[in-house]
Amino acid sequence: MLQATPKNIHIYLESNPNPNSLKFVVNEMLVPEGMSFDFPNPESAKEAPLAQELFSYPFVNRVFYMSNFITVTKNEEVQWIEVQDTIRNHIKNFLEAGKLILDNASPEEEPSGEDSETVTKIKTILDEYIRPAVEQDGGAITFHSFKEGVVTVTLQGSCSGCPSSTITLKAGIENLFKRMMPEEVQAVEALG
């Protein structure tokens, strides 16, 4: 009789610009490439068993899944040094048990339809220049809309509530768009 080989999960930690978020990087893909799942509160995690379990810790404020990492955002009352091993071990034990991190969950659907040439160019700049840097920091950025010269994006994961996200949005992302699309883009704003 063959026994199932236990998973050997390795997790390393990466800090990011948000001091209240920590990125837990796993040695396997957790969700399909290009998909992300943001759980800003326990109610939003009803189809995400791991996120539900992490919210049982009173210091956990947000959980975000993408590619091969989970970003956890904590409250300011505790320091990461006090709780990071607890979270890492919880994630490791959950994954090594072979449990699914999602139950029938699907990411938010982007509205379908033909994009204008300007919107296509905006999405290309987001995909090629901005998204990789934001993902490196444990977050995600998605296009929401473009109207009257204003690009509106959605920030998720470590970017949500990050003290430096406004600076990054205005000084980094907005300036990049103004340089690359000076005739079309006057401003970049984040939802929420």
Side-chain angles (χ1 to χ4, degrees):
M1 187 169 146
L2 293 174
Q3 285 187 307
T5 306
K7 285 187 171 192
N8 195 8
I9 299 293
H10 298 284
I11 299 175
Y12 69 90
L13 310 180
E14 285 184 3
S15 60
N16 57 68
N18 184 345
N20 291 317
S21 290
L22 196 57
K23 186 175 170 183
F24 296 81
V25 183
V26 181
N27 63 324
E28 66 179 37
M29 289 300 286
L30 299 171
V31 299
E33 189 65 40
M35 295 177 86
S36 64
F37 300 87
D38 193 25
F39 307 104
N41 54 50
E43 296 75 33
S44 65
K46 65 179 181 269
E47 294 186 6
L50 176 57
Q52 286 176 351
E53 288 184 15
L54 294 174
F55 276 120
S56 71
Y57 295 104
F59 53 84
V60 172
N61 284 349
R62 181 180 216 110
V63 178
F64 176 75
Y65 302 159
M66 186 167 193
S67 304
N68 66 331
F69 67 88
I70 298 168
T71 299
V72 177
T73 305
K74 65 166 186 63
N75 63 35
E76 294 181 2
E77 283 75 49
V78 297
Q79 299 299 311
W80 274 117
I81 196 72
E82 300 168 23
V83 298
Q84 67 190 23
D85 289 339
T86 300
I87 296 295
R88 180 189 358 207
N89 291 336
H90 194 115
I91 293 169
K92 181 177 172 55
N93 292 336
F94 186 97
L95 296 174
E96 284 183 341
K99 297 178 186 177
L100 297 175
I101 65 169
L102 295 167
D103 294 331
N104 303 318
S106 59
E108 291 182 23
E109 296 285 324
E110 281 192 35
S112 60
E114 265 321 288
D115 288 334
S116 69
E117 187 177 321
T118 301
V119 168
T120 299
K121 192 171 180 182
I122 290 168
K123 287 181 176 181
T124 300
I125 291 169
L126 277 171
D127 287 343
E128 292 180 10
Y129 297 96
I130 300 165
R131 185 170 287 123
V134 172
E135 287 176 10
Q136 186 72 31
D137 285 342
I141 185 169
T142 54
F143 173 81
H144 183 267
S145 62
F146 176 71
K147 186 176 180 182
E148 298 176 6
V150 178
V151 176
T152 304
V153 296
T154 303
L155 298 173
Q156 299 176 312
S158 66
C159 300
S160 299
C162 175
S164 63
S165 66
T166 303
I167 295 166
T168 300
L169 190 68
K170 292 297 179 184
I173 298 169
E174 185 174 280
N175 284 344
L176 178 68
F177 273 111
K178 285 180 175 180
R179 278 195 320 274
M180 296 183 86
M181 300 178 68
E183 301 296 316
E184 299 95 339
V185 176
Q186 280 78 55
V188 177
E189 297 176 356
L191 284 179

